[in-house]
Amino acid sequence: MPEIMIAKTVDKKKFADLAKAIVSRGYRLYGPVRNGGEVTLGEVGEEPEFDFDYRNFKMSPKEFFLPQSEVLCRFCRGELAEDAAPAPQKRVLLGLRPCDARAIWLLDKVFLEEPEDFYYKQKRENTVVISVACANPATTCFCTSVGGGPAAAEGSDILLFDLGEAFLLEAVSERGEEFLNQFSKMTKDATKKQVAQKKKIAEEAASRMEKLPLDGVAERLAKAFDSDLWEAPSQKCLGCGICTYFCPTCYCFDVTDETLRENGRRVRTWDSCMYSPFTLHASGHNPRPSQKERVRQRFMHKFSYAVDNSGQLFCVGCGRCIVNCPVNIDLREVIAP
Amino acid sequence: MSENVKMSDDLKAVAKKLFEEKKIDLLIGYEKGTLPLRTTPCFVTSAGDCDRLVWDGFCSNNLAVYLPRLFSREGRPKDWRPPRVAVVAKGCDGRSLVGLVKEKQAPRDNLIIVGVPCRGVVDLKKVQAALDGKEPAGGEIAEDGTLTVHVDGGKDIRLGRDEVIFDSCKGCPHPDAPVCDIRVGQELAEKQAEADFGDIADFEAKSSQERWDAFVAEISKCIRCYACRQACPNCYCTTCFAEQTQPRWIGVGKDLTEVMIYHLGRIFHQAGRCVDCGACVRACPMDIDLRLFTRKILKDVKELFGYEAGVSLEEPPPLCTFKMEDDQSFITEP
């Protein structure tokens, strides 16, 4: 974790004022929005409520950087009709959990290394990520097993801790520090006691979390490529896209040219390795002919190939695939030794 | 011994016997899941493996969905012999199996339907809503259907049967599989009255614009994960029209027009086939009330053709046959 740059506190009662100040500085502010029993990341209204007592957003925030459907360009009779999407307004995403922020840090490795992805980079550079440290992880959470933690900083610009009466805001990136400095009149420097309190929150949450035996998982799975490990999960897998669409690190996409007479648009959409057409060749041959190869691919990619490519597991332990799978395929069980 | 434990034991014994008598190669049933109050589909291939099986009110998946791919000849050698498969079936699952046999997706001779009496299965979303943000640690269902949920560091919470079962289970006309080879446990005497479709009366009473608005409001939640299609035993097309590329019928994006066409296609293909098992709604991660639309079609088919899907192997499917007395009111003068 990077050294603490600056740590500020703001009284909970004054947090709404800070939010208004953020908006008045030209940022679009996205935060927790309640919809029935669920909480999603959405644009906050006039009277924002900031209680961060939810476990996590229903869907991961990857949509904000890699939209499910994004028009890359438009064309007319083979000529580009207009430039690519204009730069988005600068924005603040508030209330992510550190696991989802870590997922953005992982996506950076895919989209910001050569060749850089213009569309992703534009959004990433215009976004300040404020994550909220977890005090109450779910039983399906396992961030500490995959390199993260309830107060891990990767992918965040600012970490927010709930200290009861006040929120502590800790800048964990240069962008975060610059951002906090804009609002120094509304915040106070955190006291030593408050810094100690925030450490305790993170440590307590981490101590309650299950630790999966994932040492050497990449090599273990690489050796299990042809084993019958994949039989049980692939037999019951329905082949829907829930696990991949809910996953904060699944980034596979498809690019399609949609045309109507002489006009067309190039669209990038989420794709899923769970779908049969994902690997279907133009010849009609499909190198992953059954659900077994598809299920294996998903786990191998996250826990073996990704380690070879970038040195990191491409799972952040958010548990969304476990909770939402219609047939209760449990990743923790599949990759267990 | 609780009823659920006895039922599970009876089921294990039936399954073992089927393997010992070499009548089946595979049995598809349920086993305990990894999450509290959940089971997961399990594929059993030997007598020694049958102890994994369970049967209780947490067995919500419709296992008929697995049959088309088990019996598909695509990519298999010419001399391939289809497996002999037993399937644990609630009333609705049994009706799906009948549909698959009639549509030639499962050979009747290779299929053993193991019927289990169903009093309705537990909707975890309803349980979750009653727990007010707490996570369940486990639970049991009593004989009268009352669910007791254990909560870590808290008091047990008791929820009545009607509070927790899926909407699709309320007023279920067939708690037992209508076509069945082996029955485990007692057939349920308290067969419910014929479905009255009161639940869609409001929807039907709306003007066509209001119905359209209601449809759009529901469908707008869709993320196109295709879970509704994948969970449905009736959706077995090798290539779904929604994903076909030559020609492409609908666009790839999340625009309402694309999403809407997918759903209209899926819903209308259910006419005369949907057994209202609710698998689509259970699988949907966005809580779209897909049944609202399939129920309307179910009712129309019943009124127009007096047909109920999945209850008989002999009765021809209404959209594959013609009778002189069929309703012809839709035919209008040019």
Short mmCIF file of all heavy atoms in Angstrom, two decimals, chain A residues 38 55 58 68-69 138-140 234-242 245-246 256 258 265 269 275 322 325-328 330 332-333, chain B residues 33-35 38 40-41 43 61 65-66 69 133 135 223-227 230-231 243 248 251-255 283 285-287:
data_model
loop_
_atom_site.label_atom_id
_atom_site.label_comp_id
_atom_site.label_asym_id
_atom_site.label_seq_id
_atom_site.Cartn_x
_atom_site.Cartn_y
_atom_site.Cartn_z
N GLU A 38 -31.70 -3.01 -3.21
CA GLU A 38 -30.39 -3.03 -3.84
C GLU A 38 -29.78 -1.64 -3.96
O GLU A 38 -30.48 -0.65 -4.00
CB GLU A 38 -30.49 -3.67 -5.23
CG GLU A 38 -30.46 -5.16 -5.15
CD GLU A 38 -31.25 -5.83 -6.25
OE1 GLU A 38 -31.81 -5.10 -7.09
OE2 GLU A 38 -31.29 -7.06 -6.27
N ARG A 55 -23.34 -3.77 1.39
CA ARG A 55 -22.14 -4.61 1.25
C ARG A 55 -21.38 -4.25 -0.02
O ARG A 55 -20.19 -4.05 -0.01
CB ARG A 55 -22.54 -6.08 1.26
CG ARG A 55 -23.00 -6.52 2.65
CD ARG A 55 -22.52 -7.92 2.96
NE ARG A 55 -22.60 -8.15 4.39
CZ ARG A 55 -23.73 -8.41 5.04
NH1 ARG A 55 -24.87 -8.45 4.40
NH2 ARG A 55 -23.72 -8.63 6.34
N LYS A 58 -24.78 -3.75 -6.65
CA LYS A 58 -25.26 -4.96 -7.30
C LYS A 58 -24.36 -5.32 -8.49
O LYS A 58 -23.90 -6.44 -8.61
CB LYS A 58 -26.70 -4.74 -7.78
CG LYS A 58 -27.29 -5.96 -8.44
CD LYS A 58 -28.69 -5.68 -8.93
CE LYS A 58 -29.24 -6.85 -9.70
NZ LYS A 58 -29.90 -7.84 -8.88
N GLN A 68 -21.15 -1.55 -21.34
CA GLN A 68 -21.62 -2.79 -21.95
C GLN A 68 -21.80 -2.63 -23.45
O GLN A 68 -21.60 -3.57 -24.21
CB GLN A 68 -22.95 -3.22 -21.31
CG GLN A 68 -23.49 -4.48 -21.95
CD GLN A 68 -24.56 -5.19 -21.16
OE1 GLN A 68 -25.00 -4.71 -20.13
NE2 GLN A 68 -24.96 -6.34 -21.64
N SER A 69 -22.18 -1.43 -23.86
CA SER A 69 -22.35 -1.17 -25.28
C SER A 69 -21.85 0.25 -25.55
O SER A 69 -22.31 1.20 -24.92
CB SER A 69 -23.84 -1.30 -25.61
OG SER A 69 -24.07 -0.94 -26.94
N ALA A 138 -19.15 -9.53 3.29
CA ALA A 138 -20.14 -10.61 3.20
C ALA A 138 -19.45 -11.96 3.34
O ALA A 138 -18.23 -12.07 3.21
CB ALA A 138 -20.85 -10.53 1.85
N THR A 139 -20.25 -12.99 3.60
CA THR A 139 -19.66 -14.33 3.75
C THR A 139 -19.14 -14.87 2.42
O THR A 139 -18.38 -15.82 2.40
CB THR A 139 -20.71 -15.33 4.30
OG1 THR A 139 -21.90 -15.21 3.50
CG2 THR A 139 -21.05 -15.05 5.73
N THR A 140 -19.55 -14.24 1.31
CA THR A 140 -19.05 -14.68 0.01
C THR A 140 -17.85 -13.85 -0.45
O THR A 140 -17.38 -14.01 -1.57
CB THR A 140 -20.18 -14.58 -1.04
OG1 THR A 140 -20.86 -13.34 -0.85
CG2 THR A 140 -21.16 -15.72 -0.92
N SER A 234 -18.94 -27.73 -15.28
CA SER A 234 -19.42 -27.49 -16.65
C SER A 234 -20.69 -28.28 -16.94
O SER A 234 -21.52 -27.86 -17.73
CB SER A 234 -18.34 -27.82 -17.68
OG SER A 234 -17.99 -29.18 -17.62
N GLN A 235 -20.85 -29.42 -16.26
CA GLN A 235 -22.08 -30.20 -16.45
C GLN A 235 -23.30 -29.38 -16.06
O GLN A 235 -24.32 -29.41 -16.72
CB GLN A 235 -22.05 -31.44 -15.57
CG GLN A 235 -21.66 -32.68 -16.32
CD GLN A 235 -21.57 -33.88 -15.40
OE1 GLN A 235 -21.31 -33.75 -14.19
NE2 GLN A 235 -21.77 -35.05 -15.96
N LYS A 236 -23.19 -28.66 -14.96
CA LYS A 236 -24.39 -27.94 -14.50
C LYS A 236 -24.45 -26.50 -15.00
O LYS A 236 -25.49 -25.85 -14.87
CB LYS A 236 -24.52 -28.00 -12.98
CG LYS A 236 -23.42 -27.39 -12.18
CD LYS A 236 -23.70 -27.62 -10.69
CE LYS A 236 -22.50 -27.30 -9.84
NZ LYS A 236 -22.71 -27.65 -8.45
N CYS A 237 -23.36 -26.00 -15.58
CA CYS A 237 -23.36 -24.62 -16.07
C CYS A 237 -24.43 -24.47 -17.16
O CYS A 237 -24.51 -25.27 -18.08
CB CYS A 237 -21.99 -24.27 -16.64
SG CYS A 237 -21.93 -22.63 -17.40
N LEU A 238 -25.24 -23.40 -17.04
CA LEU A 238 -26.31 -23.19 -18.01
C LEU A 238 -25.81 -22.48 -19.26
O LEU A 238 -26.49 -22.44 -20.27
CB LEU A 238 -27.43 -22.34 -17.39
CG LEU A 238 -28.21 -22.93 -16.21
CD1 LEU A 238 -29.20 -21.89 -15.68
CD2 LEU A 238 -28.95 -24.19 -16.63
N GLY A 239 -24.62 -21.88 -19.16
CA GLY A 239 -24.09 -21.14 -20.30
C GLY A 239 -24.67 -19.75 -20.45
O GLY A 239 -24.71 -19.21 -21.54
N CYS A 240 -25.13 -19.16 -19.35
CA CYS A 240 -25.58 -17.77 -19.41
C CYS A 240 -24.36 -16.88 -19.16
O CYS A 240 -23.28 -17.37 -18.89
CB CYS A 240 -26.68 -17.49 -18.39
SG CYS A 240 -26.13 -17.39 -16.66
N GLY A 241 -24.56 -15.59 -19.23
CA GLY A 241 -23.41 -14.70 -19.09
C GLY A 241 -23.33 -14.00 -17.74
O GLY A 241 -22.58 -13.05 -17.58
N ILE A 242 -24.09 -14.48 -16.75
CA ILE A 242 -24.17 -13.75 -15.48
C ILE A 242 -22.79 -13.59 -14.83
O ILE A 242 -22.38 -12.50 -14.46
CB ILE A 242 -25.16 -14.43 -14.51
CG1 ILE A 242 -26.60 -14.24 -15.00
CG2 ILE A 242 -25.01 -13.87 -13.10
CD1 ILE A 242 -27.66 -14.89 -14.12
N TYR A 245 -20.72 -11.06 -16.78
CA TYR A 245 -21.26 -9.70 -16.81
C TYR A 245 -21.19 -9.05 -15.42
O TYR A 245 -21.05 -7.84 -15.31
CB TYR A 245 -22.71 -9.70 -17.32
CG TYR A 245 -22.84 -9.84 -18.82
CD1 TYR A 245 -21.75 -10.22 -19.60
CD2 TYR A 245 -24.04 -9.59 -19.46
CE1 TYR A 245 -21.87 -10.36 -20.97
CE2 TYR A 245 -24.17 -9.71 -20.84
CZ TYR A 245 -23.08 -10.10 -21.59
OH TYR A 245 -23.21 -10.22 -22.95
N PHE A 246 -21.32 -9.85 -14.39
CA PHE A 246 -21.25 -9.30 -13.04
C PHE A 246 -19.81 -9.17 -12.55
O PHE A 246 -19.55 -8.48 -11.58
CB PHE A 246 -22.06 -10.15 -12.06
CG PHE A 246 -23.53 -9.80 -12.06
CD1 PHE A 246 -24.34 -10.19 -13.11
CD2 PHE A 246 -24.09 -9.05 -11.04
CE1 PHE A 246 -25.69 -9.85 -13.14
CE2 PHE A 246 -25.44 -8.70 -11.05
CZ PHE A 246 -26.23 -9.10 -12.11
N THR A 256 -18.57 -4.94 -33.41
CA THR A 256 -19.48 -5.23 -34.51
C THR A 256 -19.74 -3.97 -35.33
O THR A 256 -19.91 -2.89 -34.75
CB THR A 256 -20.84 -5.72 -33.95
OG1 THR A 256 -20.59 -6.74 -32.99
CG2 THR A 256 -21.73 -6.28 -35.05
N GLU A 258 -22.43 -2.23 -37.37
CA GLU A 258 -23.86 -2.29 -37.66
C GLU A 258 -24.16 -1.26 -38.75
O GLU A 258 -23.84 -0.08 -38.57
CB GLU A 258 -24.68 -1.99 -36.40
CG GLU A 258 -24.54 -3.07 -35.35
CD GLU A 258 -25.49 -2.89 -34.18
OE1 GLU A 258 -25.84 -1.75 -33.85
OE2 GLU A 258 -25.87 -3.91 -33.60
N ARG A 265 -22.29 2.11 -37.81
CA ARG A 265 -21.59 2.44 -36.57
C ARG A 265 -20.80 1.22 -36.12
O ARG A 265 -21.21 0.08 -36.36
CB ARG A 265 -22.55 2.90 -35.49
CG ARG A 265 -23.62 1.88 -35.16
CD ARG A 265 -24.53 2.39 -34.07
NE ARG A 265 -25.29 1.28 -33.47
CZ ARG A 265 -26.05 1.39 -32.39
NH1 ARG A 265 -26.16 2.55 -31.77
NH2 ARG A 265 -26.70 0.35 -31.91
N THR A 269 -19.19 -4.19 -27.54
CA THR A 269 -20.10 -4.69 -26.51
C THR A 269 -19.39 -5.75 -25.67
O THR A 269 -18.47 -6.42 -26.14
CB THR A 269 -21.34 -5.37 -27.15
OG1 THR A 269 -20.90 -6.26 -28.15
CG2 THR A 269 -22.29 -4.37 -27.75
N TYR A 275 -20.46 -18.05 -23.68
CA TYR A 275 -21.34 -18.22 -24.84
C TYR A 275 -20.63 -19.01 -25.93
O TYR A 275 -19.46 -18.78 -26.21
CB TYR A 275 -21.72 -16.85 -25.43
CG TYR A 275 -22.48 -15.92 -24.53
CD1 TYR A 275 -22.41 -14.55 -24.71
CD2 TYR A 275 -23.28 -16.39 -23.50
CE1 TYR A 275 -23.11 -13.66 -23.91
CE2 TYR A 275 -23.98 -15.52 -22.69
CZ TYR A 275 -23.89 -14.16 -22.89
OH TYR A 275 -24.59 -13.29 -22.09
N ILE A 322 -20.57 -15.85 -7.43
CA ILE A 322 -21.08 -16.89 -6.53
C ILE A 322 -22.54 -16.61 -6.17
O ILE A 322 -23.39 -17.49 -6.24
CB ILE A 322 -20.22 -16.94 -5.24
CG1 ILE A 322 -18.76 -17.21 -5.59
CG2 ILE A 322 -20.77 -17.97 -4.26
CD1 ILE A 322 -17.81 -17.06 -4.42
N CYS A 325 -24.97 -16.77 -9.56
CA CYS A 325 -25.04 -17.94 -10.45
C CYS A 325 -26.37 -18.67 -10.23
O CYS A 325 -26.70 -19.06 -9.12
CB CYS A 325 -23.88 -18.90 -10.19
SG CYS A 325 -24.03 -20.39 -11.21
N PRO A 326 -27.14 -18.88 -11.31
CA PRO A 326 -28.45 -19.52 -11.13
C PRO A 326 -28.37 -20.99 -10.70
O PRO A 326 -29.37 -21.55 -10.26
CB PRO A 326 -29.10 -19.43 -12.51
CG PRO A 326 -28.21 -18.64 -13.37
CD PRO A 326 -26.89 -18.48 -12.70
N VAL A 327 -27.19 -21.62 -10.86
CA VAL A 327 -27.10 -23.03 -10.46
C VAL A 327 -26.05 -23.24 -9.36
O VAL A 327 -25.61 -24.36 -9.11
CB VAL A 327 -26.81 -23.96 -11.66
CG1 VAL A 327 -28.01 -24.02 -12.59
CG2 VAL A 327 -25.57 -23.53 -12.42
N ASN A 328 -25.68 -22.14 -8.69
CA ASN A 328 -24.79 -22.22 -7.53
C ASN A 328 -23.42 -22.86 -7.87
O ASN A 328 -22.91 -23.70 -7.16
CB ASN A 328 -25.47 -22.99 -6.38
CG ASN A 328 -24.68 -22.99 -5.08
OD1 ASN A 328 -24.74 -23.94 -4.31
ND2 ASN A 328 -23.91 -21.96 -4.82
N ASP A 330 -19.79 -22.44 -7.55
CA ASP A 330 -19.06 -21.63 -6.58
C ASP A 330 -17.57 -21.65 -6.92
O ASP A 330 -16.90 -22.66 -6.80
CB ASP A 330 -19.28 -22.18 -5.16
CG ASP A 330 -18.82 -21.22 -4.09
OD1 ASP A 330 -17.79 -20.56 -4.28
OD2 ASP A 330 -19.50 -21.14 -3.04
N ARG A 332 -15.08 -20.63 -5.42
CA ARG A 332 -14.18 -21.06 -4.32
C ARG A 332 -14.02 -22.57 -4.32
O ARG A 332 -12.96 -23.09 -4.01
CB ARG A 332 -14.75 -20.60 -2.98
CG ARG A 332 -14.81 -19.09 -2.83
CD ARG A 332 -15.62 -18.69 -1.62
NE ARG A 332 -17.03 -19.11 -1.71
CZ ARG A 332 -17.94 -18.85 -0.80
NH1 ARG A 332 -17.61 -18.16 0.28
NH2 ARG A 332 -19.18 -19.25 -0.95
N GLU A 333 -15.10 -23.26 -4.69
CA GLU A 333 -15.07 -24.71 -4.71
C GLU A 333 -14.31 -25.22 -5.94
O GLU A 333 -13.53 -26.17 -5.86
CB GLU A 333 -16.51 -25.22 -4.74
CG GLU A 333 -16.69 -26.67 -4.39
CD GLU A 333 -18.18 -27.04 -4.42
OE1 GLU A 333 -18.86 -26.79 -5.43
OE2 GLU A 333 -18.64 -27.58 -3.42
N GLY B 33 -26.07 -27.17 -1.66
CA GLY B 33 -25.27 -26.14 -2.31
C GLY B 33 -24.19 -25.59 -1.40
O GLY B 33 -24.06 -26.01 -0.25
N THR B 34 -23.42 -24.65 -1.93
CA THR B 34 -22.36 -24.06 -1.10
C THR B 34 -22.87 -22.86 -0.32
O THR B 34 -22.19 -22.38 0.57
CB THR B 34 -21.18 -23.59 -1.98
OG1 THR B 34 -21.66 -22.55 -2.85
CG2 THR B 34 -20.59 -24.71 -2.79
N LEU B 35 -24.03 -22.36 -0.68
CA LEU B 35 -24.58 -21.20 0.02
C LEU B 35 -25.74 -21.66 0.90
O LEU B 35 -26.41 -22.64 0.58
CB LEU B 35 -25.09 -20.17 -0.99
CG LEU B 35 -24.04 -19.59 -1.95
CD1 LEU B 35 -24.69 -18.67 -2.97
CD2 LEU B 35 -22.97 -18.82 -1.18
N ARG B 38 -29.53 -23.20 -0.16
CA ARG B 38 -29.45 -23.49 -1.60
C ARG B 38 -29.08 -24.93 -1.86
O ARG B 38 -28.36 -25.55 -1.09
CB ARG B 38 -28.38 -22.61 -2.25
CG ARG B 38 -28.89 -21.23 -2.56
CD ARG B 38 -28.26 -20.65 -3.78
NE ARG B 38 -28.70 -21.30 -5.00
CZ ARG B 38 -28.49 -20.80 -6.21
NH1 ARG B 38 -27.87 -19.66 -6.35
NH2 ARG B 38 -28.89 -21.45 -7.27
N THR B 40 -27.86 -27.39 -5.41
CA THR B 40 -27.27 -27.20 -6.73
C THR B 40 -27.52 -28.48 -7.53
O THR B 40 -27.59 -29.57 -6.95
CB THR B 40 -25.77 -26.87 -6.57
OG1 THR B 40 -25.19 -26.66 -7.86
CG2 THR B 40 -25.00 -27.96 -5.85
N PRO B 41 -27.70 -28.35 -8.84
CA PRO B 41 -27.93 -29.56 -9.64
C PRO B 41 -26.75 -30.52 -9.51
O PRO B 41 -25.60 -30.08 -9.44
CB PRO B 41 -28.02 -29.03 -11.07
CG PRO B 41 -28.42 -27.60 -10.92
CD PRO B 41 -27.76 -27.13 -9.66
N PHE B 43 -25.05 -34.35 -10.95
CA PHE B 43 -25.07 -35.39 -11.98
C PHE B 43 -24.45 -36.65 -11.38
O PHE B 43 -23.26 -36.69 -11.13
CB PHE B 43 -24.28 -34.93 -13.21
CG PHE B 43 -24.97 -33.83 -13.98
CD1 PHE B 43 -25.17 -32.58 -13.41
CD2 PHE B 43 -25.43 -34.04 -15.26
CE1 PHE B 43 -25.82 -31.57 -14.10
CE2 PHE B 43 -26.08 -33.03 -15.97
CZ PHE B 43 -26.27 -31.80 -15.39
N ASN B 61 -34.04 -25.33 -9.11
CA ASN B 61 -33.71 -25.40 -10.54
C ASN B 61 -34.60 -26.39 -11.29
O ASN B 61 -35.00 -27.41 -10.75
CB ASN B 61 -32.25 -25.79 -10.75
CG ASN B 61 -31.30 -24.72 -10.25
OD1 ASN B 61 -30.65 -24.89 -9.22
ND2 ASN B 61 -31.24 -23.62 -10.94
N VAL B 65 -33.79 -28.75 -18.15
CA VAL B 65 -32.99 -27.90 -19.05
C VAL B 65 -31.75 -28.62 -19.60
O VAL B 65 -31.25 -28.30 -20.67
CB VAL B 65 -32.60 -26.59 -18.31
CG1 VAL B 65 -31.52 -26.83 -17.27
CG2 VAL B 65 -32.15 -25.53 -19.30
N TYR B 66 -31.27 -29.62 -18.87
CA TYR B 66 -30.03 -30.28 -19.28
C TYR B 66 -30.22 -31.34 -20.37
O TYR B 66 -29.25 -31.80 -20.96
CB TYR B 66 -29.35 -30.93 -18.07
CG TYR B 66 -28.91 -29.93 -17.04
CD1 TYR B 66 -29.52 -29.85 -15.78
CD2 TYR B 66 -27.89 -29.03 -17.32
CE1 TYR B 66 -29.12 -28.92 -14.84
CE2 TYR B 66 -27.48 -28.09 -16.38
CZ TYR B 66 -28.10 -28.04 -15.15
OH TYR B 66 -27.70 -27.11 -14.23
N ARG B 69 -29.10 -30.98 -24.47
CA ARG B 69 -27.67 -31.10 -24.80
C ARG B 69 -27.15 -32.52 -24.55
O ARG B 69 -26.21 -32.96 -25.21
CB ARG B 69 -26.84 -30.04 -24.08
CG ARG B 69 -26.72 -30.20 -22.59
CD ARG B 69 -25.55 -29.37 -22.03
NE ARG B 69 -25.99 -28.14 -21.40
CZ ARG B 69 -25.37 -27.60 -20.33
NH1 ARG B 69 -24.29 -28.14 -19.83
NH2 ARG B 69 -25.82 -26.50 -19.79
N GLY B 133 -31.12 -7.07 5.47
CA GLY B 133 -29.68 -6.84 5.31
C GLY B 133 -28.77 -7.88 5.95
O GLY B 133 -27.59 -7.92 5.66
N GLU B 135 -27.28 -11.69 6.67
CA GLU B 135 -27.08 -12.85 5.79
C GLU B 135 -27.58 -14.11 6.48
O GLU B 135 -27.30 -14.31 7.67
CB GLU B 135 -25.59 -13.02 5.46
CG GLU B 135 -25.08 -12.02 4.45
CD GLU B 135 -23.64 -12.29 4.08
OE1 GLU B 135 -22.76 -12.06 4.92
OE2 GLU B 135 -23.39 -12.77 2.97
N ILE B 223 -29.98 -6.90 -19.00
CA ILE B 223 -28.56 -6.71 -19.35
C ILE B 223 -28.13 -7.70 -20.43
O ILE B 223 -26.95 -7.87 -20.69
CB ILE B 223 -27.64 -6.83 -18.12
CG1 ILE B 223 -27.82 -8.20 -17.42
CG2 ILE B 223 -27.88 -5.69 -17.14
CD1 ILE B 223 -26.73 -8.52 -16.42
N ARG B 224 -29.06 -8.38 -21.03
CA ARG B 224 -28.78 -9.32 -22.13
C ARG B 224 -27.78 -10.40 -21.76
O ARG B 224 -26.90 -10.75 -22.54
CB ARG B 224 -28.29 -8.58 -23.37
CG ARG B 224 -29.41 -8.20 -24.30
CD ARG B 224 -28.91 -7.56 -25.55
NE ARG B 224 -28.88 -8.49 -26.67
CZ ARG B 224 -28.75 -8.12 -27.94
NH1 ARG B 224 -28.63 -6.85 -28.24
NH2 ARG B 224 -28.72 -8.99 -28.90
N CYS B 225 -27.91 -10.93 -20.56
CA CYS B 225 -27.01 -12.02 -20.15
C CYS B 225 -27.54 -13.36 -20.64
O CYS B 225 -26.85 -14.38 -20.57
CB CYS B 225 -26.85 -12.04 -18.63
SG CYS B 225 -28.34 -12.51 -17.74
N TYR B 226 -28.77 -13.37 -21.11
CA TYR B 226 -29.44 -14.56 -21.66
C TYR B 226 -29.68 -15.66 -20.62
O TYR B 226 -29.88 -16.82 -20.98
CB TYR B 226 -28.65 -15.15 -22.84
CG TYR B 226 -28.54 -14.22 -24.02
CD1 TYR B 226 -27.31 -13.93 -24.59
CD2 TYR B 226 -29.66 -13.63 -24.58
CE1 TYR B 226 -27.20 -13.08 -25.68
CE2 TYR B 226 -29.56 -12.77 -25.67
CZ TYR B 226 -28.33 -12.51 -26.21
OH TYR B 226 -28.22 -11.67 -27.29
N ALA B 227 -29.66 -15.30 -19.35
CA ALA B 227 -29.91 -16.32 -18.31
C ALA B 227 -31.32 -16.87 -18.43
O ALA B 227 -31.55 -18.07 -18.21
CB ALA B 227 -29.67 -15.73 -16.92
N GLN B 230 -31.18 -19.45 -21.15
CA GLN B 230 -30.36 -20.61 -20.81
C GLN B 230 -30.99 -21.48 -19.73
O GLN B 230 -30.74 -22.68 -19.67
CB GLN B 230 -28.97 -20.16 -20.37
CG GLN B 230 -28.16 -19.46 -21.44
CD GLN B 230 -28.01 -20.26 -22.71
OE1 GLN B 230 -28.59 -19.93 -23.74
NE2 GLN B 230 -27.26 -21.35 -22.66
N ALA B 231 -31.79 -20.85 -18.86
CA ALA B 231 -32.41 -21.61 -17.77
C ALA B 231 -33.69 -22.30 -18.23
O ALA B 231 -34.24 -23.14 -17.51
CB ALA B 231 -32.71 -20.68 -16.59
N GLU B 243 -28.52 -14.29 -31.57
CA GLU B 243 -27.07 -14.31 -31.75
C GLU B 243 -26.67 -14.68 -33.17
O GLU B 243 -25.49 -14.76 -33.48
CB GLU B 243 -26.44 -15.30 -30.78
CG GLU B 243 -26.46 -14.81 -29.35
CD GLU B 243 -26.08 -15.89 -28.37
OE1 GLU B 243 -26.46 -17.06 -28.57
OE2 GLU B 243 -25.40 -15.58 -27.40
N ARG B 248 -28.08 -11.25 -39.57
CA ARG B 248 -28.25 -10.77 -38.21
C ARG B 248 -29.66 -10.20 -38.08
O ARG B 248 -30.06 -9.37 -38.89
CB ARG B 248 -27.21 -9.69 -37.93
CG ARG B 248 -27.05 -9.37 -36.48
CD ARG B 248 -25.99 -8.32 -36.25
NE ARG B 248 -24.67 -8.88 -35.97
CZ ARG B 248 -24.35 -9.55 -34.87
NH1 ARG B 248 -25.26 -9.79 -33.94
NH2 ARG B 248 -23.14 -10.01 -34.68
N GLY B 251 -29.59 -6.11 -33.42
CA GLY B 251 -28.30 -5.50 -33.13
C GLY B 251 -27.69 -6.06 -31.86
O GLY B 251 -28.33 -6.78 -31.10
N VAL B 252 -26.43 -5.70 -31.63
CA VAL B 252 -25.70 -6.30 -30.52
C VAL B 252 -25.81 -5.49 -29.23
O VAL B 252 -25.49 -5.98 -28.16
CB VAL B 252 -24.20 -6.44 -30.86
CG1 VAL B 252 -24.00 -7.48 -31.93
CG2 VAL B 252 -23.60 -5.10 -31.29
N GLY B 253 -26.25 -4.25 -29.35
CA GLY B 253 -26.17 -3.34 -28.20
C GLY B 253 -27.26 -3.54 -27.17
O GLY B 253 -27.96 -4.55 -27.18
N LYS B 254 -27.34 -2.57 -26.29
CA LYS B 254 -28.34 -2.65 -25.22
C LYS B 254 -29.49 -1.69 -25.49
O LYS B 254 -30.27 -1.39 -24.60
CB LYS B 254 -27.68 -2.32 -23.88
CG LYS B 254 -27.68 -3.54 -22.94
CD LYS B 254 -26.98 -3.26 -21.64
CE LYS B 254 -27.62 -2.18 -20.81
NZ LYS B 254 -27.17 -2.13 -19.43
N ASP B 255 -29.59 -1.20 -26.74
CA ASP B 255 -30.70 -0.31 -27.07
C ASP B 255 -32.00 -1.06 -26.84
O ASP B 255 -32.08 -2.27 -27.07
CB ASP B 255 -30.64 0.10 -28.56
CG ASP B 255 -29.43 0.98 -28.85
OD1 ASP B 255 -28.75 1.36 -27.88
OD2 ASP B 255 -29.16 1.23 -30.03
N ALA B 283 -33.65 -17.26 -12.69
CA ALA B 283 -32.30 -17.05 -13.20
C ALA B 283 -32.00 -15.58 -13.41
O ALA B 283 -30.85 -15.16 -13.32
CB ALA B 283 -32.12 -17.81 -14.50
N PRO B 285 -30.96 -12.08 -13.09
CA PRO B 285 -30.30 -11.37 -12.00
C PRO B 285 -30.85 -9.95 -11.82
O PRO B 285 -30.52 -9.28 -10.86
CB PRO B 285 -28.83 -11.33 -12.43
CG PRO B 285 -28.87 -11.35 -13.92
CD PRO B 285 -30.11 -12.12 -14.31
N MET B 286 -31.67 -9.50 -12.76
CA MET B 286 -32.17 -8.12 -12.70
C MET B 286 -33.63 -8.06 -12.25
O MET B 286 -34.26 -7.01 -12.33
CB MET B 286 -32.02 -7.44 -14.07
CG MET B 286 -30.60 -7.50 -14.63
SD MET B 286 -29.30 -6.99 -13.47
CE MET B 286 -29.57 -5.21 -13.47
N ASP B 287 -34.16 -9.18 -11.79
CA ASP B 287 -35.53 -9.23 -11.25
C ASP B 287 -36.60 -8.78 -12.24
O ASP B 287 -37.54 -8.07 -11.88
CB ASP B 287 -35.65 -8.40 -9.96
CG ASP B 287 -34.68 -8.86 -8.90
OD1 ASP B 287 -34.40 -10.06 -8.85
OD2 ASP B 287 -34.19 -8.01 -8.13
#
